[in-house]
Amino acid sequence: MSVTYREKAQVLDESALDRALTRIAHEIVEQAGGVDDVALVGIKTRGVTLGQRIAAKIAAIEGKKPAVGALDITLYRDDLRLKAEQPVVRGTEVPFPIKGRTVVLVDDVLFTGRTIRAALDALMDLGRPRVIRLAVLVDRGHRELPIRPDYIGKNLPTSRRETVAVLLREHDGMDRVVIQEPSEEGEPQPKGEASQHGKSPRAERGSEG
Amino acid sequence: MTWKRKDLLSMQDLEAGEIRDVLDTAESMKEIATREIKKVPTLRGKTVVNLFYEASTRTRTSFEIAGKWLSADVINFSASGSSAEKGESLLDTAKNIEAMSPDVVVVRHKAAGAPAMLARNLRCAVVNAGDGAHEHPTQALLDLLTIREKKGHLEGLNVTIVGDVAHSRVARSDIHGMRKMGMTVTVAGPPTLIPAACQELGVKVSYRLEEAIAHADVIMMLRLQHERMTAGFIPSLREYSRVWGLSLDRLKHCRSDVLIMHPGPVNRGVELSPEVADGPYSVILDQVTNGVAVRMAVLYLLAGSKGA
């Protein structure tokens, strides 16, 4: 059952997306009181790209670039049994100790919170950070778990049947965030990937987050 | 991801894309071995039964570690000290084990086709961990992973498999896997240990070691399988070692970036001299490390299939 999505509205353009990341970078530095023990850990795939961009912005502010890691949460998902075939394992790369540090988890879209739940478990298995904070480019609501982001690029009220696509230059050739809706009237959103993550099938290819 | 199979029975069955999926998944799994806490919750609540009717250290331990790192419950069953000694048939034993609802059964048996027979009769996933002289697919997969890791690619590489090809399930699985990945395979050994039908698998045959290894990117030395040899295949161990053993001296004629592999257990001083087995070209222990990653990948892929 494949549902096609069409664009309903653009939420962020290139410069708005950039400004949102700049603000998040400032907020991270302000709250941490520096960058010395800050590490950014992005959730694959687009969370990693966003983490790298935020790190570059922090470097521009503070003159020092925080470490950036990549987390693959596939092995920690709670829906492995529900899928027809196993999702691709892409590997975690966090080549620095996170023990005692301020770790900022970075993801593109916060939806049900299940990805973040898995990411927290994955992170804890790598060590014991002093504090974990959460930065997301878009918070679209509909939480199923008690999870709350610390840094938000854009609060975006959505309906459940819509999806939010984050397109990034590095993966999609452009920077923009759009809301999409199913193109057939009244067609239900497919269970699984799309409802889990609230992203378009297009964005989903590159991102298990 | 193209994996749709209920069981992993042979390399002959697999397509290149499926082999690539297992290798890619295994590569991602390797990171877990570097952690302080080597465990992920992926297969929590799943049960893996190791059903081993033949001796094994590496393979059984490797499957056990792989299962445990993925949080599966792993139960070991070996033929000695079990109902098999009381005369229970393989199928009866397997049916009894199935009645305890395992998700994956890993089988090693001396009879070729035993895992395939179980796969037809059991609802759970079945992994062939070696059946007679037929196949040993996870060994071939870990060999391919090791070669890809060291060489950066597989296609176009020359591999020479040396020794007891006739009794080797590893050679058979390797040949199928390597041919599918676009590699050129040469087998070399005394004529008594090279099956006549070898060429049908698309390999070159050589009866001279120097000639066979001169252009090899990878040399796979096989163990002389005393336990499967009835009699008369070789004049003596000493002569075999002199003619077919890989020594430092022989290595001089090889490429400077050659990889020396061995599926283990090594008969030191027979097929491999200790200097070569422990030398800089040897990736024998990398093979063992990669074995765990490959088995994690296989358990992960199978436990998600509909059969499990």
Side-chain angles (χ1 to χ4, degrees):
Chain A
M1 53 173 193
S2 79
V3 180
T4 52
Y5 289 83
R6 65 183 160 89
E7 188 172 325
K8 185 184 169 196
Q10 175 165 302
V11 185
L12 295 175
D13 62 11
E14 189 177 343
S15 58
L17 194 154
D18 190 62
R19 280 196 297 275
L21 294 180
T22 305
R23 182 170 47 73
I24 290 174
H26 277 283
E27 285 173 3
I28 290 172
V29 172
E30 185 186 357
Q31 190 172 14
V35 290
D36 283 344
D37 62 337
V38 173
L40 302 178
V41 175
I43 299 174
K44 280 193 170 178
T45 300
R46 282 168 183 70
V48 182
T49 309
L50 291 173
Q52 277 153 354
R53 290 206 199 170
I54 293 171
K57 289 184 181 298
I58 290 178
I61 301 164
E62 289 286 292
K64 208 168 164 187
K65 195 176 171 185
V68 183
L71 205 59
D72 175 40
I73 55 108
T74 312
L75 298 171
Y76 292 83
R77 294 173 76 121
D78 61 4
D79 59 350
L80 288 175
R81 289 295 86 66
L82 307 176
K83 293 177 172 296
E85 58 184 66
Q86 296 289 66
V88 178
V89 184
R90 293 170 202 280
T92 285
E93 300 128 46
V94 182
F96 47 84
I98 61 169
K99 190 181 162 199
R101 288 180 107 152
T102 296
V103 173
V104 181
L105 265 179
V106 184
D107 203 4
D108 49 0
V109 180
L110 179 58
F111 184 25
T112 60
R114 286 180 193 270
T115 299
I116 304 303
R117 196 282 309 158
L120 289 173
D121 279 355
L123 213 47
M124 294 298 191
D125 278 358
L126 299 178
R128 185 180 186 278
R130 190 179 65 79
V131 47
I132 301 176
R133 305 211 187 278
L134 175 59
V136 296
L137 182 60
V138 174
D139 181 354
R140 61 165 296 192
H142 304 287
R143 216 78 76 239
E144 292 169 5
L145 297 170
I147 280 168
R148 174 188 59 77
D150 300 279
Y151 315 108
I152 305 166
K154 173 88 179 163
N155 268 306
L156 187 61
T158 55
S159 104
R160 251 182 186 282
R161 55 197 292 274
E162 294 164 339
T163 64
V164 176
V166 172
L167 307 178
L168 297 177
R169 211 167 43 237
E170 293 86 335
H171 309 282
D172 315 292
M174 59 185 130
D175 274 355
R176 61 198 291 252
V177 177
V178 295
I179 297 188
Q180 299 171 319
E181 59 184 0
S183 53
E184 267 98 344
E185 266 305 303
E187 183 126 16
Q189 191 178 323
K191 275 287 171 209
E193 301 262 45
S195 75
Q196 219 11 255
H197 309 290
K199 287 177 224 155
S200 74
R202 165 160 193 192
E204 199 47 56
R205 262 202 312 256
S207 171
E208 293 291 326
Chain B
M1 187 68 68
T2 56
W3 194 269
K4 299 270 194 300
R5 290 174 192 279
K6 169 182 162 290
D7 312 291
L8 173 63
L9 301 175
S10 72
M11 295 302 287
Q12 190 172 11
D13 290 343
L14 294 187
E15 286 160 21
E18 293 175 299
I19 295 173
R20 220 167 283 127
D21 280 348
V22 177
L23 299 186
D24 291 346
T25 306
E27 211 167 75
S28 298
M29 294 291 184
K30 285 196 77 173
E31 172 263 332
I32 293 164
T34 67
R35 296 183 185 185
E36 202 173 325
I37 302 163
K38 297 176 185 56
K39 211 176 216 13
V40 293
T42 319
L43 299 187
R44 212 155 46 107
K46 295 268 170 185
T47 305
V48 176
V49 176
N50 278 330
L51 191 56
F52 277 61
Y53 283 87
E54 274 192 328
S56 165
T57 315
R58 228 172 322 275
T59 306
R60 190 184 55 69
T61 311
S62 184
F63 269 107
E64 185 171 355
I65 291 177
K68 286 183 170 171
W69 285 359
L70 289 172
S71 296
D73 294 304
V74 183
I75 282 90
N76 288 313
F77 171 103
S78 58
S80 59
S82 75
S83 52
E85 278 188 340
K86 300 177 188 165
E88 188 173 54
S89 76
L90 170 64
L91 187 56
D92 279 339
T93 303
K95 287 274 183 199
N96 276 277
I97 287 175
E98 182 176 51
M100 300 180 226
S101 310
D103 299 284
V104 182
V105 172
V106 180
V107 199
R108 169 168 289 191
H109 200 279
K110 66 175 189 303
M117 186 273 281
L118 290 186
R120 282 193 302 274
N121 285 284
L122 301 182
R123 288 184 304 276
C124 64
V126 175
V127 181
N128 179 5
D131 57 338
H134 176 224
E135 283 232 34
H136 189 357
T138 57
Q139 177 71 40
L141 290 165
L142 72 88
D143 289 340
L144 290 172
L145 180 63
T146 307
I147 297 168
R148 195 175 78 167
E149 206 174 76
K150 300 289 173 189
K151 297 287 186 189
H153 65 107
L154 294 174
E155 206 177 332
L157 292 178
N158 291 313
V159 183
T160 300
I161 302 176
V162 181
D164 185 1
V165 175
H167 298 92
S168 177
R169 53 194 175 208
V170 174
R172 206 156 275 100
S173 287
D174 270 339
I175 290 168
H176 283 302
M178 288 165 175
R179 296 287 300 132
K180 284 177 184 181
M181 301 316 281
M183 302 161 86
T184 305
V185 183
T186 304
V187 296
T192 48
L193 295 176
I194 303 288
C198 235
Q199 268 139 332
E200 286 168 27
L201 298 180
V203 304
K204 298 178 193 166
V205 176
S206 170
Y207 299 112
R208 277 198 53 221
L209 185 60
E210 278 83 359
E211 165 195 288
I213 63 179
H215 302 290
D217 297 294
V218 177
I219 303 175
M220 175 80 60
M221 299 301 293
L222 298 175
R223 182 173 68 89
L224 201 57
Q225 306 210 14
H226 313 288
E227 76 274 16
R228 291 187 213 284
M229 290 194 192
T230 35
F233 288 100
I234 52 167
S236 73
L237 270 186
R238 243 180 93 183
E239 166 158 345
Y240 179 84
S241 174
R242 200 167 50 75
V243 180
W244 293 103
L246 197 58
S247 60
L248 274 185
D249 203 39
R250 286 230 164 88
L251 221 46
K252 284 186 193 134
H253 308 290
C254 293
R255 291 175 57 108
S256 60
D257 61 349
V258 69
L259 296 182
I260 308 294
M261 304 178 76
H262 192 295
V266 176
N267 291 319
R268 276 176 185 263
V270 180
E271 65 264 3
L272 272 184
S273 78
E275 298 81 31
V276 174
D278 305 327
Y281 302 105
S282 163
V283 293
I284 295 173
L285 294 177
D286 299 85
Q287 289 175 270
V288 178
T289 304
N290 285 337
V292 177
V294 156
R295 282 151 190 144
M296 286 172 83
V298 167
L299 292 177
Y300 170 74
L301 293 171
L302 289 180
S305 68
K306 282 294 156 201

